[in-house]
Amino acid sequence: MKFIVIGITDNPKPWFTPEVLEIIKNGKVFSGGKRHHEIVAPLLPAIAEWIDITVPLDAVFEQYNVQCSMFNVQCVTVFASGDPLFFGFANTIKRKMPEAGIVVYPTFNSLQMLAHRLVMPYHDMRIVSLTGRPWPELDKALIERAEKIGVLTDKEHTPAAIAQRMLDYGYTDYTMYVGEHLGNPEKEKVTTLTLEEAARAEFSMPNCVIIYSCNLCDSCSKKETWFGIPDNKFMLLDGREKMITKMPIRLLTLQTLDLPKKHVFWDIGFCTGSISIEVRLQFPHLHIEAFEIRPECEAIIHENARKFGAPGINVHIGDFLETNITVLPRPDAVFIGGHGGELKEIMKKILTVLTDDGIIVFNSVVAPKVTVDSKKLWDEACDELGLQQLPPLHIQLNDNHPITILKCKR
């Protein structure tokens, strides 16, 4: 099967080259979104069969096969927004039907058009698509302090929602540019707003966003960056300083977890969230799941995450041993920060989902008032579960009790 994918803007009276007009004239099976159909309907042949692109996409591709068989043709002409290879439907065709032939006739995508309207160079723009996608890529771009970010939106990830998320996590040194109905001479609108203004505004669809931070202007309120957050900066559980992994230990723990090579990190017994937050800021490519049994810690981790600009930590409150973990992404790096005397049971449950190359790290504290020998529990669990222990790291900070950073794998 062959696909001809034609890019269009929101202009209700599109202009096409003679070559594309000839393709449309001779076509029989056409496809696109409902809005695309409204735009190109006057140009379609009288006998044209139109297939709306809706979810589930498997049903759409089945219709392509059925209609091509009925018309005895092997070609579907698809209309898509902008450049069909820019987060567009041509990519979907390549994924669903890798053997299909594809010819693309692109036009400018919406972010290009918005940059053109602003006379803004865009060769250095970081591109994020939130169209039918969750937040992580935008979070990553913000944490990495990308100066210029182009964002494709949808009905959930609106410009207002984007602005509010940035405000919530302290990324306030950005200006937002919103383009609505780009390419439509009657409806097109380009607006420049502060994040506060954008968070209160409503925008019509379709739209896209460019957020820009000059980073060089002394008057900008730049978000502080950290490599090792000082312990006294965190909101603590009942103000208890001992209920936090100390900063040097925290960084050594991250090193032991070998996180640059990992994909999914679990933090079990997060308390203040110091480990998860440090991981999020230093390794924003990671997917993070954080678990804690104490309900009062939920507000604490959210407050600390907002304070340090660490969005995207998925929080689970409740007994880990009673939590359904089978629905979560499988971890390849796990830190156990608290165990309540059930270390062996926790490790056993982790092994039901841990990837083959996954590792588990645990910090054992030797202190006079500690009634449970956590190092002994660790050794017993590793022996019983057939885990290979890697060389431990022993460290003592100032007058604090010695800590052993323990690591194991399958």
Side-chain angles (χ1 to χ4, degrees):
M1 184 177 292
K2 178 181 178 181
F3 290 87
I4 299 175
V5 192
I6 302 170
I8 61 174
T9 68
D10 199 52
N11 194 320
K13 297 179 180 180
W15 178 89
F16 296 115
T17 65
E19 180 182 359
V20 171
L21 288 174
E22 191 68 18
I23 290 170
I24 297 172
K25 177 183 176 182
N26 295 321
K28 293 184 178 179
V29 179
F30 296 86
S31 187
K34 293 183 182 297
R35 176 59 181 154
H36 301 142
H37 193 190
E38 293 174 2
I39 292 173
V40 302
L43 301 175
L44 301 182
I47 61 170
E49 177 66 25
W50 182 272
I51 300 171
D52 279 329
I53 298 176
T54 58
V55 293
L57 290 176
D58 286 344
V60 175
F61 279 85
E62 180 59 31
Q63 288 186 65
Y64 292 159
N65 287 319
V66 171
Q67 293 300 326
C68 284
S69 296
M70 289 180 59
F71 280 93
N72 194 28
V73 295
Q74 288 296 314
C75 183
V76 178
T77 302
V78 180
F79 294 94
S81 297
D83 182 348
L85 287 170
F86 183 80
F87 297 99
F89 196 70
N91 298 318
T92 303
I93 297 171
K94 289 173 68 68
R95 185 177 70 252
K96 292 283 188 180
M97 300 182 69
E99 302 302 319
I102 303 175
V103 177
V104 176
Y105 293 89
T107 189
F108 289 120
N109 66 61
S110 59
L111 288 173
Q112 287 176 309
M113 287 194 289
L114 179 54
H116 295 163
R117 302 300 187 267
L118 298 167
V119 196
M120 177 186 289
Y122 60 89
H123 60 276
D124 56 347
M125 185 161 63
R126 178 89 163 260
I127 305 298
V128 171
S129 176
L130 296 178
T131 305
R133 295 172 171 85
W135 292 106
E137 286 304 312
L138 176 62
D139 295 343
K140 185 173 183 287
L142 293 172
I143 292 169
E144 293 176 347
R145 306 304 291 130
E147 180 179 292
K148 189 185 300 176
I149 309 171
V151 188
L152 300 175
T153 63
D154 64 14
K155 292 182 179 180
E156 178 182 351
H157 304 91
T158 64
I162 294 167
Q164 189 60 58
R165 189 173 183 86
M166 296 173 68
L167 291 170
D168 288 344
Y169 288 94
Y171 293 97
T172 57
D173 56 323
Y174 283 86
T175 298
M176 178 174 283
Y177 304 93
V178 182
E180 303 168 72
H181 296 283
L182 294 170
N184 187 324
E186 297 178 358
K187 296 183 178 181
E188 180 174 298
K189 182 179 180 182
V190 175
T191 314
T192 303
L193 310 103
T194 66
L195 295 181
E196 290 81 4
E197 291 169 338
R200 298 190 301 266
E202 294 185 2
F203 304 90
S204 59
M205 294 290 291
N207 61 59
C208 65
V209 164
I210 293 176
I211 48 178
Y212 176 69
S213 173
C214 68
N215 279 338
L216 299 175
C217 176
D218 291 336
S219 64
C220 288
S221 175
K222 300 179 182 64
K223 187 164 187 63
E224 191 168 4
T225 57
W226 305 92
F227 180 73
I229 304 171
D231 301 335
N232 61 7
K233 297 289 186 180
F234 283 96
M235 177 182 179
L236 303 174
L237 176 62
D238 299 326
R240 296 154 66 187
E241 294 182 5
K242 294 183 178 180
M243 299 299 290
I244 186 173
T245 304
K246 302 300 181 185
M247 186 264 285
I249 304 298
R250 199 183 313 136
L251 295 183
L252 283 172
T253 300
L254 266 60
Q255 187 276 333
T256 305
L257 285 160
D258 198 20
L259 294 176
K261 302 176 183 178
K262 302 301 181 182
H263 300 90
V264 179
F265 170 71
W266 284 15
D267 181 5
I268 300 174
F270 64 72
C271 192
T272 62
S274 63
I275 289 286
S276 285
I277 290 168
E278 199 81 67
V279 168
R280 189 69 178 131
L281 296 179
Q282 303 305 328
F283 305 97
H285 71 281
L286 288 170
H287 179 104
I288 301 178
E289 303 286 346
F291 305 83
E292 175 58 56
I293 194 169
R294 290 165 291 199
E296 60 268 33
C297 290
E298 183 171 15
I300 293 173
I301 191 172
H302 286 310
E303 176 64 25
N304 284 327
R306 286 191 290 268
K307 181 177 182 179
F308 299 112
I313 298 172
N314 300 313
V315 174
H316 308 270
I317 299 298
D319 188 341
F320 178 78
L321 294 176
E322 297 178 3
T323 300
N324 180 14
I325 61 174
T326 61
V327 297
L328 302 176
R330 295 178 62 194
D332 51 8
V334 178
F335 173 69
I336 302 176
H339 58 86
E342 297 180 304
L343 183 59
K344 186 187 303 180
E345 290 75 14
I346 290 174
M347 293 174 68
K348 184 177 181 180
K349 184 167 184 175
I350 291 171
L351 289 178
T352 64
V353 293
L354 188 70
T355 61
D356 291 341
D357 61 344
I359 59 172
I360 304 173
V361 170
F362 171 69
N363 293 344
S364 175
V365 183
V366 179
K369 294 183 180 180
V370 175
T371 57
V372 178
D373 187 342
S374 58
K375 176 63 166 61
K376 181 180 178 182
L377 291 178
W378 170 269
D379 290 339
E380 291 175 351
C382 288
D383 288 343
E384 183 176 318
L385 299 173
L387 296 170
Q388 176 187 350
Q389 293 205 51
L390 299 167
L393 178 63
H394 305 282
I395 187 170
Q396 182 173 358
L397 298 177
N398 302 324
D399 296 328
N400 295 312
H401 300 299
I403 291 177
T404 302
I405 300 178
L406 303 163
K407 178 178 179 179
C408 71
K409 64 180 182 179
R410 293 185 185 275

